[in-house]
């Protein structure tokens, strides 16, 4: 079988290799890889800026946004041959910390968690992979063309849950949400905002291509003006920041009304310096009871929430988020961003092209 591997120290880090078919361990599922979503984290891993290799190896099977079809399922696993399945990315740390011990590995306290395709364990960028059934999630069979959007949807399901929990500390009746960044995370955050009946606004730089009509067809408003202007025009109760761009992060924090919540989801590179009026920002956050919360990864509860959100969404709209499907032998292309990209997908099987 073929797999996309990364060796960050090599001159050409990305490679499609022939690997032996994996043998499922006791109780595990054998899954045929159908598709793999590509994201900024993958590009950071390729450039050596994020993640870790498995111990004693100089390569890793890349990929954490999975979609596959179960080929072999042990009795009692809850899965049957032919089921569509997605793999959970993170595994608890070995100690385990208090959060990991309670199934909240997305909130790991000691950082010793592992992540498939990211940190120390092989990912899902292979034509076959194995998985423990308790870390696999079954998808509605109708989601074959869009199920690869599950993992980023889990990330936004968690972000929304954080927002609702932070909001729940007092009376909370949000009306307007601003999402900054119309990439896959921004689009899916906007979708979950609409599903909550909110007035949704999305800010991005681009004025052409697939993003503006996608946002409008969701029933949300698309903005390209300066963030400061958009913040004062929209007056959002909630901001979901999905760019990691320093200026947007701070303008969002400064611009919310009283009891505003800013949820940060963008992983930005270190070393981006800007000048901020820290005094007035602090004053504003304190006097308005504002909250800023970071959110990463997702646990099994969020996978269930995401599966429900995708099942309830318009499939044709979801399909338009996937702007490119690239066959596995042209993997390099999938990992090279194109101007009109929202989500590029690697087809591990010809049926996913
Ligand atoms: C993934 C998360 C992961 C994070 C940090 C993101 O791209 O979606 O599952 O926890 O990267 O490695």
């Amino acid at each position: 079988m073929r797999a996309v591997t990364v060796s960050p120290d090599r001159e050409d880090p990305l490679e499609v290799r022939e690997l032996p078919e994996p043998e499922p361990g006791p109780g595990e599922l054998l899954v045929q890889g159908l598709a793999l979503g590509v994201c900024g984290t993958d590009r950071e891993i390729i450039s050596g800026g994020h993640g870790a290799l498995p111990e004693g190896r100089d390569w890793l099977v890349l990929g954490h946004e999975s979609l596959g079809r179960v080929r072999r399922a042990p009795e009692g696993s809850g899965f049957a041959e032919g089921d569509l399945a997605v793999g959970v990315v993170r595994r608890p740390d070995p100690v385990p910390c208090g959060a990991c011990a309670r199934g909240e590995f997305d909130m790991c306290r000691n950082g010793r968690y592992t992540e498939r395709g990211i940190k120390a364990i092989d990912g899902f960028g292979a034509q076959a992979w194995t998985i423990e059934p308790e870390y696999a999630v079954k998808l509605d069979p109708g989601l074959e063309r869009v199920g690869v959007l599950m993992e980023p949807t889990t990330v936004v399901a968690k972000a929304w849950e954080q927002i609702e929990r932070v909001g729940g500390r007092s009376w909370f009746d949000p009306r307007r949400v601003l999402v900054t960044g119309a990439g896959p995370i921004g689009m899916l955050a906007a979708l979950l905002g609409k599903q909550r009946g909110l007035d949704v606004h999305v800010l991005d730089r681009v004025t052409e291509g697939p993003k503006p009509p996608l946002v409008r067809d969701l029933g949300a408003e698309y903005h390209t003006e300066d963030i400061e202007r958009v913040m004062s025009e929209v007056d959002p109760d909630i901001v979901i920041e999905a760019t990691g761009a320093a200026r947007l992060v701070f303008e969002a924090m400064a611009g919310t009304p009283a009891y505003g919540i800013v949820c940060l989801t963008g992983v930005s590179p270190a070393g981006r310096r800007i000048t901020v009026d820290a005094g007035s920002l602090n004053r504003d956050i304190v006097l308005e009871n504002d909250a800023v919360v970071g959110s990463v990864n997702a646990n099994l509860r969020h996978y269930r929430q995401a599966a429900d959100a995708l099942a309830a969404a318009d499939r044709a709209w979801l399909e338009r988020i996937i702007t490119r499907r690239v066959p596995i032998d042209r993997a390099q292309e999938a990992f090279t961003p194109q101007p009109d990209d929202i989500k590029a997908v690697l087809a591990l099987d010809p049926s996913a092209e």
Side-chain angles (χ1 to χ4, degrees):
M1 65 144 194
R2 275 173 299 165
V4 186
T5 63
V6 60
S7 310
D9 294 339
R10 295 213 198 133
E11 202 171 314
D12 292 317
L14 199 70
E15 197 185 329
V16 178
R17 302 183 190 222
E18 198 58 46
L19 291 179
E21 183 98 1
E23 212 17 74
E28 286 187 345
L29 311 176
L30 176 66
V31 182
Q32 175 198 2
L34 294 178
L36 180 80
V38 170
C39 88
T41 301
D42 297 312
R43 285 190 282 273
E44 264 197 81
I45 297 167
I46 295 168
S47 68
H50 187 67
L53 294 170
E55 220 172 86
R57 252 227 239 126
D58 71 348
W59 56 272
L60 167 84
V61 175
L62 192 60
H64 59 280
E65 297 186 6
S66 61
L67 178 68
R69 190 174 292 291
V70 175
R71 280 286 160 247
R72 252 194 283 160
E75 211 158 301
S77 65
F79 286 83
E81 193 186 325
D83 283 347
L84 272 189
V86 160
V88 173
V89 175
R90 196 175 279 197
R91 296 293 175 277
D93 78 76
V95 176
C97 74
C100 284
R102 289 162 180 80
E104 302 219 316
F105 43 80
D106 57 314
M107 295 292 199
C108 180
R109 299 297 203 274
N110 63 25
R112 290 177 60 194
Y113 60 82
T114 51
E115 288 181 337
R116 288 198 64 166
I118 302 176
K119 190 169 181 254
I121 46 177
D122 281 335
F124 304 108
Q127 291 178 312
W129 37 270
T130 58
I131 193 154
E132 318 85 308
E134 61 275 26
Y135 287 107
V137 178
K138 205 185 296 185
L139 282 194
D140 181 316
L143 290 173
E144 179 160 357
R145 292 297 286 172
V146 294
V148 71
L149 297 173
M150 247 301 263
E151 200 276 344
T153 309
T154 68
V155 167
V156 302
K158 172 177 171 180
W160 272 109
E161 185 192 76
Q162 298 307 299
I163 291 163
E164 279 152 1
R165 289 185 174 192
V166 170
R169 74 201 194 280
S170 175
W171 171 75
F172 191 46
D173 184 23
R175 299 292 159 96
R176 288 171 305 280
V177 56
L178 174 68
V179 176
T180 52
I185 293 290
M187 286 293 176
L188 294 166
L191 168 71
L192 269 66
K194 282 308 282 185
Q195 290 182 340
R196 284 162 167 77
L198 296 174
D199 176 14
V200 178
H201 297 256
V202 179
L203 170 66
D204 198 283
R205 287 195 285 225
V206 306
T207 53
E208 279 164 25
K211 290 178 179 178
L214 253 176
V215 168
R216 285 185 205 118
D217 293 347
L218 186 64
E221 210 171 307
Y222 189 81
H223 301 261
T224 53
E225 314 90 280
D226 188 75
I227 171 104
E228 220 178 325
R229 168 126 175 247
V230 176
M231 286 299 292
S232 71
E233 229 176 75
V234 174
D235 200 28
D237 307 295
I238 299 164
V239 179
I240 300 184
E241 208 300 302
T243 69
R247 203 173 91 78
L248 296 198
V249 169
F250 282 94
E251 290 292 347
M253 280 160 54
T256 50
Y259 207 67
I261 299 176
V262 176
C263 182
L264 305 177
T265 66
V267 187
S268 44
R272 297 280 156 94
R273 286 166 192 270
I274 58 166
T275 303
V276 293
D277 180 346
S280 98
L281 184 63
N282 172 71
R283 183 186 163 87
D284 181 78
I285 292 175
V286 170
L287 293 180
E288 291 185 346
N289 289 293
D290 291 340
V292 178
V293 58
S295 183
V296 71
N297 196 253
N299 66 41
L300 282 162
R301 187 173 65 248
H302 309 121
Y303 276 76
R304 286 191 291 271
Q305 293 165 1
D308 291 345
L310 287 186
D314 179 284
R315 307 247 158 106
W317 185 85
L318 288 173
E319 270 211 49
R320 287 163 59 201
I321 295 184
I322 302 171
T323 42
R324 280 194 297 147
R325 297 181 192 260
V326 183
I328 184 167
D329 41 291
R330 305 210 315 258
Q332 188 70 54
E333 259 175 60
F335 290 88
T336 311
Q338 302 291 314
D340 271 349
D341 269 352
I342 301 180
K343 172 63 72 189
V345 163
L346 191 67
L348 300 167
D349 184 83
S351 69
E353 281 174 24

